Amino acid sequence: GSPAAVATAGGVGRRLADERRHAVLIGPGNGVGEATRDNVLAALAARKACVLDADALTSFEGDARRLFGAIDSPCVLTPHEGEFARLFGGLVDKGADRLARCRAAAREAGAVGLLKGPDTVIADPGGRAVINENAPPELATAGAGDVLSGLIAGLLAQGMAPTEAAAGAAWIHGAAAASLAPLAFAEDSRSPEAGLPPTSDAHTHFYDPTRPEGVPWPAKNDAVLYRAVLPAEFKKLTAPLGVVGT
């Protein structure tokens, strides 16, 4: 059956009571409805870091305040435009630009928002915002967003703060697509001996506000085009891509 049918809300709560489990992702493939809503609320009640995507967001269409009221721990919401409209319809000015809408949504939800697109926007409730420029066209395929959500959950589970986890994962996601997509298409295929295609210089810069020598976050009302937000201990995640951080 579907993942929603396999895991009851009680089961989610019991699993997350295990102190070894630090983060949870709910949404991709779960199905829209009461079971997914209950699983989301159980995960949030466990006060573990949460990533909510896809069906976990759509399941609260028309009842967004119930979701927002339950958020009391690190949480990242990762909608595409359709999911964003279903969850935040009537709460955010739909005529505003993507940056303004993502900021307003993060403030409304009390969570980090990641609005997916060719210019993915990440914003936190306090107004900090990042615009990811590393989004190659290879990501415009079904299931790519699920991978991004999993990357965010993985960084959260390792202790990264939610805004940094969302921004760092968005960059890793783009770097992986740029490096590996040519191997997935016959007309662009390379032999294993040829190795991965080289990454451009634009993909080798790391912006890390958590380190003393890092560039500070922009002012509250500014956004920044960035390459990555990755503390040193996470640079190893990009090693298979042949990327070297500065």
Side-chain angles (χ1 to χ4, degrees), residues 49 54 124-125 171 244:
D124 71 15
W171 183 86
V244 178

Side-chain angles (χ1 to χ4, degrees), residues 15-197:
R15 289 178 176 87
L16 292 180
D18 187 332
E19 63 182 15
R20 297 171 298 178
R21 291 175 172 145
H22 305 294
V24 59
L25 163 62
I26 298 180
N30 287 159
V32 176
E34 183 178 357
T36 297
R37 284 195 302 274
D38 289 347
N39 285 343
V40 169
L41 295 174
L44 292 171
R47 304 202 55 181
K48 299 294 178 77
C50 290
V51 182
L52 304 180
D53 185 25
D55 295 342
L57 303 176
T58 301
S59 290
F60 284 90
E61 182 177 6
D63 198 13
R65 297 292 186 193
R66 183 182 179 196
L67 170 62
F68 303 159
I71 296 173
D72 191 33
S73 58
C75 185
V76 181
L77 312 180
T78 61
H80 57 52
E81 285 285 3
E83 293 156 352
F84 186 95
R86 289 191 284 273
L87 184 63
F88 291 101
L91 300 177
V92 171
D93 179 7
K94 65 181 181 180
D97 60 48
R98 285 169 54 82
L99 174 59
R101 287 188 289 120
C102 191
R103 273 188 167 139
R107 186 171 57 249
E108 286 283 345
V112 171
L114 183 149
L115 180 55
K116 290 179 281 197
D119 57 343
T120 291
V121 181
I122 300 101
D124 71 15
R128 297 190 302 170
V130 175
I131 301 173
N132 179 32
E133 65 174 1
N134 185 25
E138 289 85 359
L139 291 176
T141 187
D146 299 348
V147 175
L148 173 58
S149 296
L151 288 170
I152 298 170
L155 294 178
L156 287 173
Q158 296 177 75
M160 192 178 255
T163 307
E164 287 80 353
W171 183 86
I172 293 171
H173 195 227
S179 294
L180 300 175
L183 304 180
F185 301 97
E187 62 270 24
D188 295 323
S189 64
R190 300 159 60 107
S191 69
E193 292 77 16
L196 297 178

